[in-house]
Amino acid sequence: MTAARTVLSFIVGAVLVYGLVVAAAWLGQRKLIYPAPSGRQAVPDGYERVLLQTSDGLTIDAAWRQGLPGRPVAVFFHGNGDRWSGAAQAMAPLARAGFGVLLSEYRGYSGNPGTPSEDGLYRDGDAAIAWLRDRGIADQRIVPIGNSLGSGVATRMAVTHGLDRLVLVSPFTSLPDAASARFRFLPVRQLIADRYDNRAMMEDYGGTALILHGVRDSLISIDHAGALANLSDRFTLVTFDQAGHELAYLPESGRAIRRWLHNEAGQP
């Protein structure tokens, strides 16, 4: 009887501990998804600070670099723990080639007001597209580029705004897909509130897409990129044998994007 009670107590205790872990994960999920850097950030060299107005009344920072007339304009959505410094590094090959570049930013990041969420980041992305349109930049020139978590924002912008071209670097098929692979002991698909379902969104996308992924990516498996690329023959997958999840910051990534955009625009 004593042994049985001991085993029962152990089982009950384990269940309680697991329940507490699940509850903590549910309550703290957005702090894990959005480890937002704090403090106002310096504008990268060659850029100017501009302000975006969101549909729910927030004023969000962005950094803008004017490109050459007629060149594509990249609007870059960074990953969950990044900021302008990394974004500027990722976009350096495009900036040097004379492309316009808008480094978008998210609510709750780097001194911006608000709290990050999927709906909130979509609103921030909408504000970035609106800002470009207000400057008279035609939709045919606007190219959303998303890295990691930013792939969800970029995809949403391309689909909802009817943009012709989309670039994804180290993307996932959906946030639950990516998170469940890393936290196998948790019921992630039932817990997670923010979905960023790139697979579902790209099934409805009628434009062309370039998808870049590192073979050595241990954070988001290259299988995600393959699954997205297989959705349409208009989607091009380029893989990098020696790269991991840092791919967006490697010059090879920027050069691949630059070549693809030149080819898509029919430029030399």
Side-chain angles (χ1 to χ4, degrees), residues 28-90:
Q29 61 180 279
R30 283 192 168 137
K31 289 185 178 180
L32 293 173
I33 296 171
Y34 309 105
S38 61
R40 192 171 174 85
Q41 56 189 320
V43 180
D45 290 343
Y47 288 81
E48 62 175 306
R49 188 185 301 273
V50 298
L51 299 177
L52 311 179
Q53 303 297 325
T54 71
S55 60
D56 55 344
L58 298 183
T59 300
I60 303 294
D61 280 346
W64 166 245
R65 182 183 179 112
Q66 181 73 42
L68 296 175
R71 288 286 172 88
V73 175
V75 52
F76 186 76
F77 300 100
H78 63 66
N80 68 339
D82 202 4
R83 58 196 309 171
W84 286 345
S85 55
Q89 179 181 344

Side-chain angles (χ1 to χ4, degrees), residues 17 25-26 31 35 37 52 82 97 128 143 148 151 186-187 202 208 228:
V17 169
W26 181 74
K31 289 185 178 180
L52 311 179
D82 202 4
V143 184
S148 192
S151 68
L186 291 173
M202 292 186 73
T208 59
L228 294 176

Side-chain angles (χ1 to χ4, degrees), residues 125-139:
D126 289 338
I129 302 300
W131 187 89
L132 291 172
R133 286 171 167 170
D134 288 345
R135 289 182 65 89
I137 297 172
D139 285 358

